[in-house]
Amino acid sequence: MTASVKEAGPGERAESDRRRRAAIVTVDDEPAVLAAIARDLRRNFGDRYRVLRAGGGEEALEMLRELRTRGDQVALLIADQRMPGLAGTEYLVQARQIVPDAKRVLLTAYADTEAAISAINEVNLDYYLLKPWDPPEEELYPVLEDLLAVWEAGAALEAGGVRVIGHRFSRETHELRDFLARNRVPARWLDIERDGEARELVAVAGVAPDRLPVALLEDGSVLERPSTLEIAERLGIAARPALDHYDLVIVGGGPAGLAAAVYGASEGLRTVMVEREAAGGQAGQSSRIENYLGFPRGLSGSELAARATTQARRLGAELLSVQEATALEVEGSGRFVRLSGGGSLSANCVLVASGVSYRQLDSPGFERLTGAGIYYGAAMTEARACKQQRVVVIGGANSAGQAAVHFSAFAAEVIMLVRGESLTSSMSTYLIEQIAKLPNIEVRTRSQAVAADGDGRLRELTIRGPDGTETAEPVDACFVFIGAAPHTDWLEGVVARDERGFILAGPDVPDERWPLKRDRDPYVLETSVPGVFVAGDVRARSVKRVASAVGEGSMAVTLIHEYLATA
């Protein structure tokens, strides 16, 4: 028997309107509960979404198949756990195969809390809600509004306002796609080799084959081989400072910089943050951060960065993207940060939160094939292209583990190359356990890639095993997560650093480099230059975790207040 798609509530809407709005599908075998949740959903979300209801799991699955066949979008699934025939978790497992992008929420009684927590891992549950959800303004709407905001952002990215056409195994194309994705610009990627639409668009636009990649903007503009700065300016990503002088200039838009921007702006400091690539920094490339406080299901690095960016802007912080700090100058009580785009930012205080980047492999072939099958970081834009392919992840820390788990959902096989004896010394236990449960991930310890080869794209890696034997193996893509190189060359001769380039702060500042010995010691996050602070991974002896970077960024603002009060 085929389920009919019925909206919860009276009245018929026009067919075009019905198709335009995405659906929220709720399922419960108790009519009174189903009517109550549908009523509350309709009251708060009915103007933006269709609210559909089903009296059982099988009926709901048939409804989802019908929606998918029609090409309709499903934003949110809400299911009761205790249903005869098909429990809520079982229904959500099957529903995920039909509408994989929909957010999933489980309704449960207090006695079933343990089952709900287990479901977070088992069915990739986004949230669970306890019944009753009264009052909905406090117990229901905030949670669902947050989930729907994340879904809407993802749907916008998939729909795409910018069309990028190029070769998949092109460094320039990869850099453009990655830049747009990390800045959460809605964009659609078209492969010139595989997509007939791409070839037609290139012909219509009159773009020569040697001028790819090309970006087609919504206003009709055609940008051939655009630089990141050029496309950022055209899309309004890059901005110019609004003020002549600031209380606080933050260099770097990773977790530490974003936290400082939030706290600085919220506490009345005129705050500006400068980021050379995209908000989130290295953490923004993480496919899934599962041990960050307050997010039981975890969240992606880009999602965390987007939330923090919105929060900082709402509180009044300025964010300057695609700008790189090139020098720090100290003139009396003034601090000046020179920018790559020209000009400088004047401030009372500077916070260096410029973070680190993955160290480049100097093995033969790696530099030549970077962007053409070899990538540094998670390169989330490449994940779907790895479907049923053989992928290698190099590294043994959390970032490598998160990437391996993410790519395992697409690739036929994921091989982790780890130089150490095991993962236990460098990776969180929860990740090690996840990796052990995934049959298509192979962990090779005491192993490393010593060469890469290919005909314009990566084809094989030469891998040295534990016994020293080297073998050439076919590989479709390789993602590198090794070491950490700090972005501090622009501070050469101004701020004290250790032998690896990490910034010294607080008690680590050498006495001979501290100019205020007679007055006070440097604050715990203060560098060798008074009024210049450091936070996050770029600080010497820092803990390389997102939560600690956020903590340091917020703590730095408190120390900056102390400095300003006594300066």
Side-chain angles (χ1 to χ4, degrees):
M1 180 178 178
T2 302
S4 60
V5 177
K6 298 184 298 181
E7 263 196 69
E12 296 294 331
R13 291 183 172 85
E15 180 72 8
S16 60
D17 181 58
R18 185 193 65 75
R19 287 184 177 275
R20 184 168 56 251
R21 293 183 299 144
I24 297 174
V25 177
T26 181
V27 54
D28 198 305
D29 65 306
E30 296 184 33
V33 177
L34 182 60
I37 185 70
R39 178 200 64 220
D40 287 342
L41 291 172
R42 188 172 63 250
R43 187 172 66 187
N44 199 69
F45 304 108
D47 59 333
R48 294 154 50 199
Y49 296 89
R50 283 188 297 151
V51 178
L52 309 177
R53 52 183 174 178
E58 293 294 349
E59 180 185 348
L61 291 173
E62 188 63 30
M63 183 184 294
L64 293 177
R65 294 186 189 99
E66 184 179 343
L67 289 167
R68 185 66 184 268
T69 301
R70 293 177 178 178
D72 291 350
Q73 291 181 302
V74 178
L76 178 65
L77 303 175
I78 303 175
D80 183 52
Q81 171 60 7
R82 292 192 179 186
M83 295 188 295
L86 199 62
T89 51
E90 295 172 355
Y91 155 72
L92 290 173
V93 167
Q94 296 184 43
R96 187 183 179 192
Q97 303 302 313
I98 304 171
V99 285
D101 296 326
K103 296 300 179 182
R104 292 170 288 279
V105 174
L106 193 68
L107 286 176
T108 183
Y110 182 79
D112 296 325
T113 301
E114 287 298 324
I117 292 174
S118 298
I120 292 176
N121 291 326
E122 293 171 5
V123 305
N124 207 17
L125 190 69
D126 290 288
Y127 213 90
Y128 71 88
L129 290 168
L130 295 177
K131 298 187 293 186
W133 53 87
D134 189 57
E137 291 78 10
E138 296 178 12
E139 303 296 334
L140 181 68
Y141 297 152
V143 171
L144 300 188
E145 193 70 68
D146 191 52
L147 291 175
L148 289 170
V150 174
W151 180 85
E152 288 170 3
L157 292 176
E158 289 292 325
V162 178
R163 287 169 292 178
V164 177
I165 303 171
H167 302 275
R168 178 190 169 194
F169 296 105
S170 155
R171 180 181 299 197
E172 293 80 7
T173 300
H174 166 71
E175 289 176 351
L176 178 58
R177 293 173 61 203
D178 196 54
F179 172 79
L180 293 173
R182 293 187 63 194
N183 282 280
R184 300 185 72 82
V185 175
R188 188 157 63 97
W189 151 243
L190 298 170
D191 189 337
I192 192 69
E193 275 103 18
R194 297 183 180 182
D195 297 315
E197 181 186 354
R199 293 188 288 274
E200 291 175 8
L201 287 171
V202 166
V204 170
V207 178
D210 62 349
R211 297 297 297 168
L212 298 180
V214 60
L216 308 179
L217 307 188
E218 289 182 291
D219 64 2
S221 301
V222 178
L223 303 182
E224 300 179 11
R225 305 188 70 178
S227 66
T228 53
L229 180 58
E230 180 184 1
I231 198 164
E233 289 177 341
R234 293 296 299 271
L235 294 174
I237 298 172
R240 299 190 179 278
L243 303 177
D244 295 326
H245 184 79
Y246 294 87
D247 297 312
L248 172 61
V249 169
I250 302 165
V251 179
L258 285 167
V262 168
Y263 279 89
S266 68
E267 295 176 13
L269 297 179
R270 292 169 298 176
T271 302
V272 62
M273 187 184 80
V274 181
E275 169 52 44
R276 63 194 186 96
E277 292 179 345
Q282 184 176 325
Q285 301 180 61
S286 296
S287 55
R288 180 64 53 183
I289 303 169
E290 296 199 51
N291 56 356
Y292 190 71
L293 184 67
F295 292 87
R297 180 185 172 270
L299 74 170
S300 69
S302 63
E303 185 182 340
L304 177 62
R307 289 169 181 263
T309 299
T310 301
Q311 189 177 18
R313 283 184 169 141
R314 181 179 66 82
L315 293 169
E318 285 184 49
L319 275 62
L320 306 183
S321 297
V322 204
Q323 287 275 18
E324 187 168 7
T326 58
L328 173 66
E329 298 174 0
V330 179
E331 298 179 9
S333 60
R335 308 289 180 262
F336 300 89
V337 176
R338 300 291 177 192
L339 301 177
S340 57
S344 64
L345 296 172
S346 169
N348 297 321
C349 291
V350 172
L351 175 66
V352 181
S354 48
V356 299
S357 60
Y358 296 111
R359 185 167 56 83
Q360 307 286 296
L361 266 176
D362 56 6
S363 301
F366 272 79
E367 197 281 330
R368 177 172 61 88
L369 294 171
T370 296
I374 292 177
Y375 310 98
Y376 289 86
M380 305 309 296
T381 53
E382 304 296 332
R384 294 185 185 275
C386 293
K387 188 173 183 179
Q388 296 305 308
Q389 293 189 338
R390 197 168 194 246
V391 172
V392 168
V393 173
I394 300 177
N398 275 11
S399 52
Q402 290 161 354
V405 170
H406 180 71
F407 289 128
S408 71
F410 304 93
E413 182 181 7
V414 178
I415 299 169
M416 293 190 69
L417 300 181
V418 183
R419 295 189 65 174
E421 296 285 339
S422 70
L423 295 172
T424 55
S425 62
S426 56
M427 188 179 293
S428 297
T429 302
Y430 80 90
L431 266 176
I432 297 174
E433 292 174 349
Q434 282 187 27
I435 289 169
K437 293 177 181 178
L438 293 170
N440 62 335
I441 296 182
E442 176 189 356
V443 179
R444 299 185 190 179
T445 57
R446 297 170 56 202
S447 301
Q448 56 186 303
V450 295
D453 198 12
D455 52 353
R457 56 161 290 188
L458 177 66
R459 296 289 185 182
E460 67 177 30
L461 289 178
T462 301
I463 299 174
R464 181 182 297 154
D467 60 358
T469 302
E470 296 183 2
T471 57
E473 300 187 24
V475 173
D476 296 295
C478 175
F479 300 86
V480 183
F481 302 82
I482 59 167
H487 296 295
T488 59
D489 289 347
W490 61 287
L491 296 169
E492 175 70 35
V494 180
V495 172
R497 302 178 296 163
D498 67 12
E499 65 280 358
R500 295 186 297 160
F502 290 90
I503 298 174
L504 300 172
D508 293 330
V509 173
D511 287 343
E512 63 273 14
R513 296 292 300 272
W514 180 243
L516 303 179
K517 288 189 286 290
R518 294 184 179 181
D519 301 315
R520 64 174 179 86
D521 294 330
Y523 295 116
V524 66
L525 296 179
E526 194 171 20
T527 70
S528 59
V529 177
V532 176
F533 295 78
V534 61
D537 291 359
V538 74
R539 183 178 66 84
R541 299 202 297 173
S542 65
V543 178
K544 304 299 187 286
R545 288 289 186 270
V546 173
S548 61
V550 170
E552 288 191 11
S554 55
M555 185 171 77
V557 172
T558 299
L559 301 176
I560 287 167
H561 277 296
E562 292 188 32
Y563 170 82
L564 292 174
T566 58

